Amino acid sequence: MIEKIEINNGKIYEVEKSFPQKLWKKAKEYITFENPFTQYYVYKQEEQILGFINYDILYERAELIYIVVLEEYQNKGIGQKLIEYMIKD
């Protein structure tokens, strides 16, 4: 299931807990907490976050900032589903 994460309600920290420290450090460099154009979505399975996508919407253009899937769940189509969701959004 794909779910939107709102920065102002603190749910972004669920993402932080779900990923190994080295992945989160890389992603954190790109996350813009105050940008109203930035979107965050997570891919969850049984309440566990398996991946997330972060992108900006500027006019009619989307710019992918970051996409991460837990290593043990890679190559299972999760990243593709997140990209498809971004395109539909």
Side-chain angles (χ1 to χ4, degrees), residues 19 23-24 27 50-54 66-70 74 78-79 82:
F19 290 89
L23 286 178
W24 182 247
L50 306 181
F52 84 94
I53 190 168
N54 164 222
Y66 215 82
I67 184 167
V68 178
V69 176
L70 290 175
Q74 292 177 3
I78 293 170
L82 287 166

Side-chain angles (χ1 to χ4, degrees), residues 30-42:
Y30 298 99
I31 291 179
T32 309
F33 292 98
E34 301 292 326
N35 186 343
F37 305 107
T38 300
Q39 305 293 315
Y40 303 90
Y41 288 90
V42 294

Side-chain angles (χ1 to χ4, degrees), residues 7 9 16 19 28-29 41 75:
I7 297 303
N9 69 9
E16 184 174 13
F19 290 89
K28 208 168 188 177
E29 294 172 13
Y41 288 90
N75 299 313

